[in-house]
Amino acid sequence: MGRKKKSRVIVQEFDDYFGTGTLQDWQRLCRDVGLSGDLPSISQCRKALKTVHVNIHDLLEAVKHGKQPQRFPNVQKLVHYTMRTGRFFPKDKVKEMGPVKALMRRIL
């Protein structure tokens, strides 16, 4: 599969997984990455997600199998893993205030 097609597939998979962006969608994402506690607003979910370092490809794969994705202790470990595996999310597909934006980390 070519790089452009892979990019389209991962973007579509995340859109399908996340849903319409309701508070419940954000709360599910927080639970799926292993955040616990009551996060009563989208802004609190977004803030909490900024502390989590996961690869988006791994997140979607883990959710399919009913598992939690690998969480990295810091951005450097996530960057190293992402560079090694080539499992990038296309930066140009990140919506300004969406969930992917909250999970994205500067890789290059």
Side-chain angles (χ1 to χ4, degrees):
M1 186 181 317
R3 190 175 189 163
K4 273 190 164 183
K5 185 169 179 152
K6 282 182 184 179
S7 291
R8 277 195 309 270
V9 168
I10 190 68
V11 169
Q12 186 61 54
E13 283 181 12
F14 191 86
D15 286 347
D16 291 347
Y17 157 75
F18 187 69
T20 60
T22 65
L23 174 58
Q24 290 77 22
D25 294 331
W26 281 89
Q27 289 170 330
R28 184 186 68 248
L29 173 60
C30 289
R31 282 190 308 274
D32 287 347
V33 298
L35 291 172
S36 59
D38 181 31
L39 297 166
S41 71
I42 290 174
S43 61
Q44 286 187 358
C45 290
R46 186 180 289 118
K47 184 177 177 181
L49 287 167
K50 289 193 177 290
T51 68
V52 175
H53 309 296
V54 297
N55 181 280
I56 294 170
H57 287 263
D58 290 356
L59 166 64
L60 295 173
E61 200 170 287
V63 167
K64 284 180 192 174
H65 299 326
K67 299 180 179 180
Q68 283 192 343
Q70 176 181 1
R71 286 177 59 174
F72 296 89
N74 56 51
V75 175
Q76 294 80 13
K77 299 273 186 191
L78 173 61
V79 168
H80 178 73
Y81 171 82
T82 302
M83 297 290 289
R84 186 172 44 80
T85 61
R87 299 185 97 189
F88 294 91
F89 190 92
K91 186 175 146 186
D92 62 327
K93 301 298 182 189
V94 176
K95 295 177 179 101
E96 189 56 37
M97 295 302 288
V100 171
K101 173 84 172 174
L103 290 172
M104 288 293 282
R105 302 295 179 264
R106 184 176 214 93
I107 299 292
L108 299 174

